[in-house]
Amino acid sequence: MTETSFIRNFCIIAHIDHGKSTLADRLLEETETLKAKDMKDQVLDSMDLERERGITIKSHPIQMKYVDSKKDIYTFNLIDTPGHVDFTYEVSRSLAACEGALLLVDAAQGVEAQTVSNTYLAIENDLEIIPIINKIDLPSARTDEVAQQIVELVGCSVDEIIYASAKSGKGIIDIFSSIIERIPPPQDRSNNPLRAMIFDSVHDKYKGAIPYVRIFDGVIKSGQTAKFFTHDKEYDITEVGHFILDQVPSKELRSGDVGYLLASIRDVSHILPGDTITSKDNPSKEPLEGFKDIKPMVFSGLYPTNSDDYDQLRIALEKLKLNDASLLFEPETSEALGFGFRCGFLGLLHMEIIQERLEREFDLSLVTTTPNVRYKVELKNETLVDVDTPAKMPLSGEINKIYEPIVSAEIITPKEYIGNIMTLCQKKRGKYKTTNYISSDKAQLHYDLPLAEIIFDFYDKLKSTSRGYASLDYNLKDYEISDLKKLEILINNEPVDALSIITHSADSYHRGVALCSKLKELIPRQMFDVPIQAALGTKIISRSTVKALKKNVTAKCYGGDITRKRKLWEKQKEGKKRMKSIGSVEIPQEALLAVLQIDSE
């Protein structure tokens, strides 16, 4: 049993691609937590997707033993965190489980948006921050300039910054010394009633849902009955233990420890990040602070390309839900696409990852509908309804007001791109707030932007207008009244729900025109004219026509009276009219994706 004075709980916070996983590899190597033969790059990133994209999607805690120069043995609990804006709540819970954080900044790229955001989260949680400049051996490293940016951000002195290279191992010993000296040990509150915070969870098909916990008060051991604060469910604990890459059982977890517990929990929805576990025999009266329900921000329909795969898609989503409690889904039917599911995601990256995992791990071919955000609609009778798909939008005559989600966005960019970025934000209906200069050549812009404008192509355009140098971070601020309309697409006079979108009234006309002309190229020609119309309520704002394939019915007529030809043309006309009234238009998958390609400028 380790005394709490020899325990250090810390995490690494950084922007994407600043070397967080590589630094974790070096720490594991230096402490000999893993044998050389088990070592590989990004060892804590277990998913193929994480390795390919170079990002951390799921946090991975691990325990290390470190012997210092005085031969004292310290227990280091590293709680790895995801780096992307979509997983901010998971990051905040991981930070709440620690006493300190290693702030990692790339020597070439400097301070970026996610660095700033996660640093503020760490400061809010009263963590001791150890600033580290990584990749100092790069030819493009700007260590002095980046050091100044860190001083501005954290308020530390230049002497407190550690210069390191996670790839070569330079500066790793200094990092260990700083962890011991500067990060405070957890307080020993083992005699208090049990309070353990869940900061993450995984699902095992044999063991059930496994919560990852940080013990703040008391002791937890097998044989106890665990009680959850958010839902009053009780489970008998069968095993507790630590993480040394794999789960290693132990006798007990005490105040200050980080570990896991097994209790045959079959329903992953009973384990919520931020919830507090206490003991049934000696319960705590108050939960730990900071718990929030995770709410999805982006909604999209997932439909199997082959309708026979519907049951397989349902089973696949249920299995993914076991490892990702933030994924929500419910059955949905579309006239154009058949049976599928309406899914709620934390953001666009979360949606991409779920879709890619469904296609790879479960061998499914999917059609995804246009991503939507959740609007709040106030009806004339003053009731408030949530709308997360255009199909659910009430008729315009019943609507009093529509509220759309607004995010507070923070963009960090070299100063030469400020003009381009401000123009982009204006086009996306952004409201300018402030500009701060982090250093002589790096600016921080604050804008309030509609979430609906961010989820399409905002990030791609931000990167292209700044040549890849600008970075973005955002969080949900509030709902505001907005002038929004439902734009419907009618093909052969039939509305196609999969192509409907909710758009701002200022954008509705040119979006309707652009969609009609795009669909005209993508919908194959039939034996009759196919009208494509864009409508706002009962008003048609744009139309284009896919011309019919023409058959030359008079080719067999050689000479003779014109009336014979006219008779054939009239017969053909009648046939086309009848065909048009009963004919159906097959809409290809590319046409359904056309909404995503329409540029909203």
Side-chain angles (χ1 to χ4, degrees), residues 499-547:
L499 291 170
S500 299
I501 52 173
I502 297 168
T503 179
H504 193 266
S505 58
D507 291 338
S508 57
Y509 176 73
H510 74 253
R511 275 205 165 191
V513 172
L515 253 175
C516 285
S517 58
K518 186 82 181 171
L519 289 168
K520 185 183 174 182
E521 297 167 18
L522 296 170
I523 289 173
R525 291 171 75 186
Q526 312 291 320
M527 292 304 291
F528 53 90
D529 284 356
V530 179
I532 301 165
Q533 296 162 306
L536 292 172
T538 55
K539 185 183 174 187
I540 303 293
I541 59 166
S542 176
R543 172 185 168 128
S544 57
T545 306
V546 179
K547 285 293 179 188

Side-chain angles (χ1 to χ4, degrees), residues 423-461:
T423 305
L424 173 64
C425 290
Q426 293 298 119
K427 286 178 178 173
K428 297 290 184 183
R429 299 190 284 124
K431 288 181 191 167
Y432 171 75
K433 291 293 174 189
T434 57
T435 303
N436 301 320
Y437 281 87
I438 295 172
S439 65
S440 58
D441 69 333
K442 216 161 199 184
Q444 181 185 37
L445 299 171
H446 287 103
Y447 267 89
D448 283 354
L449 285 154
L451 179 61
E453 297 286 352
I454 284 184
I455 63 169
F456 281 107
D457 54 0
F458 183 80
Y459 190 69
D460 293 340
K461 286 195 169 151

